[in-house]
Amino acid sequence: MRYLALPLLSQNLTESTARAQTLSLYLQLSLQVSLSQRNESTMSSSSSSLPSCPKKVVTLKSSEGETFEIEEIAALQSKTLENMIDENCADTPIPLPNIKGKILAKVVEYCNKHAEVGVDAESLRAWDAEFVNVENTTVFDYILAANFLEIPTLLDLTCQSVADMIKGKTPAEIEKTFNIKSAFTPEEEEQVRRENQWAFE
Amino acid sequence: MKLHQSNSAAEIIASNEDLVSEILLLVPAKSLVRFKCVSKGWLSIISGPHFSRRHARLHASSRVSGVFLRRTPSEHQFLPLGADSRSGCPFKCLDFVPDPAGLKILQSCNGLLLCCSFRKIGCQRNYYVFNPTTRQFVMLPHLGGASSCATTVYGVSLALDPSKSSHYDVVCVRSTVESAYFYQIEIYSSRDRDWRLSGSPFVAPFDMVFDNGVFWNGVVHWISPTGASLCFDVKKERFRTMPRLPISENQGSRRFRYFGESRGHMHFFEIYGSRTAQFKIFELEKDYSGWFVKYHVELDSMVSAFPEMVRDYMDPGYMNYYAFVMLHLVREGSNEESSLLVHLPGKILTFNVGDKTFRKLYEIPADQSKGYGSLQYGWLDAYEFIETLAPV
């Protein structure tokens, strides 16, 4: 609490001087009051991370209707979500009808992890390696989710994982993995194989 | 966007060309060559110029998979390097195009080979740029138009740096019409698909040789037997200098000299004296400030292990008393992965410059041997094979 230094009122003040002094006193007092009011309001909002509004959380809805919450900062890693958040004034859950709940939960986990501050590169790499250390079918689901949500880091991570998995396979194994119909005639396939025989040895 | 329950995620990915490309970009070149058989769609993606350029740039620092040894001008022996020693040989004969004069390799540059046909009377020499990984090739247009009959080509060099661009240049040093003392540079660009003159005629040291130019750091380097050098910056199209070669003046007669490049490093070394199995390998600083000693090589333990390296039937003072020749210095990321290919009578060894161990890489079949104690390959007979999809 600050104390105002009150000027001594001497008895021989003229009326105008007394009036001027009273006015100055009044102004100083009201200034003090409004200052202390401002201090109170600043102190109450300094506990939140953003200066003017509380932490924002976005709700995502999976194909089965399950909802997942994710902090806006983490969600901004997805270009798709960034666009939807910009347009989404009403804060309703964002529907993602082509992503299953099981996958969406993991994608949220990925975004949260990658939005954390102070994680060193080495341990993040190790975390990423564990993240893609799952069944192939799950990695494929991650790719589709990362592609739709436009999360470049997750797309790179999952594509690299698939690339490493397929690089040693034969063409027949690839066709089986992706259920691809070759469309080559046997003669055409034989010709391509013969031209590139050295890569099969 | 409703998901059809019958389509698995794998099928959806496979039907999305962009996603397939993103995945295939991360797969090594040799695997992609196999995957051309998967489907017409995959063949089309992998062979597409846009994809192959992106892939070549992304994989610019691929390892050296092997070395081609020139047995006869058009027959080559492939020596796989590295752990994958079952590696298939990309080609035995240079028969990617039926040139009636036969073909030989002039230079290997970051995965592409510069080849030319042999001199045949009445025909002009043809130059080709060949990618042994994809078997694509292009025949370069003939030089110089009207004056081509009077032109002598002194040397041709391929300049490709996939980390900077998937386009390449071919630098040709040829004679000029005006004077026998002047040379002229002509450059072929894979972007324009044609030759153009570069700069004005220039003179060079009297003994300069322009074949076996070494492309490194964006510059083609030529050296002469007396140690003079000439360097041409391909992008800037002008000459620059290189620090004096670290030739020692007082070490007796020179038995062997090596000047070559591998994976972004330029090396030079010489071996003097008839009984030397120790020498220093120099590397040029990237900023051309000078040569520094990169490796001290001592092959005495190799000489003990392989007595055929010593031609003891000869006078010890005879220059070729020690029968070995350095074929190529392969540099990889670390010293432990870098090796010197050493050719002794009947064998090729690889000497690991990191841990100084050596092992046999290749045994030359008896029917190819040219006699006891003889050496059939020289350092100009070895060409690196690096897998790349770089388009020609």
Side-chain angles (χ1 to χ4, degrees):
Chain A
M1 195 49 176
R2 299 234 300 264
Y3 289 88
L4 289 173
L6 294 173
L8 274 173
L9 292 169
S10 88
Q11 263 147 3
N12 294 330
L13 280 177
T14 60
E15 203 188 340
S16 62
T17 318
R19 244 189 286 156
Q21 283 190 350
T22 315
L23 183 61
S24 148
L25 207 55
Y26 170 76
L27 284 173
Q28 286 184 64
L29 268 172
S30 54
L31 182 64
Q32 280 297 317
V33 170
S34 71
L35 267 176
S36 61
Q37 271 180 350
R38 184 125 48 101
N39 277 342
E40 270 173 6
S41 66
T42 322
M43 279 193 297
S44 67
S45 60
S46 61
S47 55
S48 69
S49 51
L50 298 167
S52 51
C53 52
K55 227 184 275 192
K56 243 199 136 202
V57 157
V58 173
T59 312
L60 308 174
K61 196 152 77 148
S62 75
S63 60
E64 303 112 330
E66 231 183 309
T67 55
F68 299 89
E69 288 202 337
I70 178 174
E71 277 183 35
E72 186 174 301
I73 293 182
L76 291 178
Q77 290 174 85
S78 153
K79 290 201 185 50
T80 309
L81 289 181
E82 193 186 344
N83 294 337
M84 287 180 170
I85 289 168
D86 278 344
E87 298 161 17
N88 189 3
C89 325
D91 289 319
T92 52
I94 298 176
L96 301 170
N98 46 351
I99 305 182
K100 296 198 285 264
K102 189 169 71 111
I103 302 299
L104 188 53
K106 293 298 278 181
V107 173
V108 167
E109 196 186 316
Y110 177 90
C111 290
N112 283 336
K113 181 72 181 178
H114 278 249
E116 269 178 34
V117 288
V119 186
D120 69 290
E122 193 57 49
S123 54
L124 192 59
R125 252 198 301 275
W127 191 91
D128 280 350
E130 261 316 292
F131 186 80
V132 284
N133 188 13
V134 290
E135 288 268 322
N136 290 341
T137 46
T138 312
V139 183
F140 292 142
D141 285 324
Y142 289 162
I143 290 184
L144 290 179
N147 187 42
F148 175 72
L149 291 172
E150 288 187 74
I151 306 173
T153 50
L154 182 57
L155 190 60
D156 283 342
L157 175 66
T158 47
C159 284
Q160 182 69 62
S161 170
V162 172
D164 292 336
M165 187 257 298
I166 65 174
K167 70 182 176 197
K169 288 196 190 300
T170 65
E173 288 164 343
I174 301 277
E175 285 170 34
K176 193 147 160 276
T177 305
F178 291 98
N179 202 10
I180 299 177
K181 306 290 181 297
S182 151
F184 277 129
T185 67
E187 293 80 30
E188 287 168 337
E189 183 174 338
E190 180 52 37
Q191 188 185 357
V192 178
R193 183 179 279 260
R194 216 175 338 118
E195 278 170 6
N196 301 293
Q197 188 54 41
W198 69 276
F200 289 89
E201 284 159 23
Chain B
M1 186 162 96
K2 220 166 164 233
L3 253 192
H4 294 287
Q5 288 309 110
S6 55
N7 282 0
S8 66
E11 286 168 338
I12 299 173
I13 291 173
S15 63
N16 181 327
E17 203 175 286
D18 288 335
L19 278 179
V20 172
S21 297
E22 285 308 306
I23 295 173
L24 293 184
L25 266 181
L26 302 168
V27 174
K30 187 173 172 186
S31 305
L32 289 184
V33 171
R34 275 206 312 277
F35 294 172
K36 286 182 176 180
C37 291
V38 168
S39 75
K40 284 189 176 171
W42 281 40
L43 174 62
S44 161
I45 292 175
I46 295 168
S47 318
H50 183 62
F51 176 86
S52 30
R53 281 185 203 287
R54 280 181 75 194
H55 189 278
R57 289 187 71 166
L58 198 59
H59 293 256
S61 38
S62 293
R63 306 174 60 98
V64 178
S65 314
V67 165
F68 292 112
L69 271 189
R70 192 203 341 258
R71 212 156 20 103
T72 72
S74 35
E75 277 175 33
H76 297 78
Q77 180 64 45
F78 178 66
L79 304 181
L81 293 175
D84 187 10
S85 53
R86 305 172 10 252
S87 206
C89 167
F91 63 84
K92 286 226 157 43
C93 290
L94 278 175
D95 55 2
F96 56 86
V97 65
D99 193 302
L103 297 172
K104 65 170 180 164
I105 304 178
L106 289 178
Q107 180 196 359
S108 163
C109 184
N110 286 315
L112 293 186
L113 297 181
L114 179 67
C115 304
C116 76
S117 58
F118 288 101
R119 258 244 114 84
K120 212 170 168 187
I121 298 181
C123 304
Q124 244 198 32
R125 204 169 236 184
N126 294 327
Y127 291 90
Y128 301 89
V129 175
F130 173 56
N131 181 334
T133 306
T134 59
R135 298 195 69 83
Q136 280 186 330
F137 70 93
V138 71
M139 184 174 102
L140 303 186
H142 288 137
L143 277 161
S147 59
S148 56
C149 33
T151 316
T152 309
V153 170
Y154 294 107
V156 185
S157 296
L158 176 58
L160 167 70
D161 185 353
S163 66
K164 303 230 162 54
S165 163
S166 54
H167 286 279
Y168 60 85
D169 295 291
V170 180
V171 176
C172 168
V173 179
R174 62 168 181 78
S175 61
T176 56
V177 179
E178 294 80 15
S179 159
Y181 296 105
F182 282 83
Y183 301 93
Q184 171 74 57
I185 291 211
E186 216 169 324
I187 301 182
Y188 170 89
S189 143
S190 68
R191 235 188 264 268
D192 312 322
R193 299 247 169 246
D194 206 357
W195 294 95
R196 64 175 196 284
L197 290 177
S198 169
S200 25
F202 62 95
V203 284
F206 75 100
D207 64 337
M208 184 56 73
V209 275
F210 290 106
D211 34 20
N212 306 308
V214 175
F215 177 68
W216 171 78
N217 212 9
V219 175
V220 181
H221 306 78
W222 299 281
I223 63 173
S224 81
T226 51
S229 65
L230 208 54
C231 316
F232 181 72
D233 186 320
V234 184
K235 272 271 143 339
K236 297 186 184 141
E237 292 192 40
R238 52 167 200 261
F239 288 95
R240 60 154 303 141
T241 54
M242 164 166 102
R244 234 186 120 262
L245 289 174
I247 297 172
S248 174
E249 311 291 356
N250 307 321
Q251 288 196 26
S253 27
R254 187 181 70 226
R255 184 150 69 78
F256 178 81
R257 167 187 280 176
Y258 177 98
F259 179 62
E261 178 271 346
S262 176
R263 303 277 72 203
H265 302 271
M266 171 89 104
H267 303 113
F268 175 86
F269 63 89
E270 295 182 314
I271 302 178
Y272 294 88
S274 62
R275 291 218 272 177
T276 319
Q278 299 176 7
F279 53 95
K280 294 188 236 190
I281 296 183
F282 293 90
E283 183 178 338
L284 185 56
E285 294 277 10
K286 260 209 144 69
D287 61 2
Y288 287 89
S289 51
W291 292 90
F292 63 96
V293 178
K294 179 67 188 175
Y295 302 114
H296 286 270
V297 177
E298 286 161 29
L299 297 178
D300 303 277
S301 46
M302 198 187 276
V303 178
S304 324
F306 295 95
E308 60 265 41
M309 274 171 89
V310 183
R311 291 183 173 124
D312 49 14
Y313 50 87
M314 285 177 166
D315 186 296
Y318 180 56
M319 183 57 75
N320 292 317
Y321 184 70
Y322 269 11
F324 68 88
V325 125
M326 303 302 155
L327 292 183
H328 192 69
L329 174 55
V330 181
R331 282 291 290 273
E332 292 293 357
S334 68
N335 287 339
E336 283 61 43
E337 299 169 310
S338 303
S339 53
L340 195 52
L341 297 190
V342 186
H343 172 34
L344 336 165
K347 319 180 165 42
I348 308 224
L349 308 180
T350 127
F351 176 81
N352 185 311
V353 288
D355 60 21
K356 305 205 191 324
T357 59
F358 50 87
R359 63 175 179 87
K360 190 161 69 169
L361 184 64
Y362 175 62
E363 181 91 37
I364 299 174
D367 58 346
Q368 287 172 23
S369 165
K370 294 205 164 72
Y372 178 75
S374 69
L375 298 171
Q376 50 253 72
Y377 299 111
W379 67 280
L380 293 175
D381 292 327
Y383 300 96
E384 284 183 345
F385 171 56
I386 298 167
E387 294 160 13
T388 177
L389 293 188
V392 297

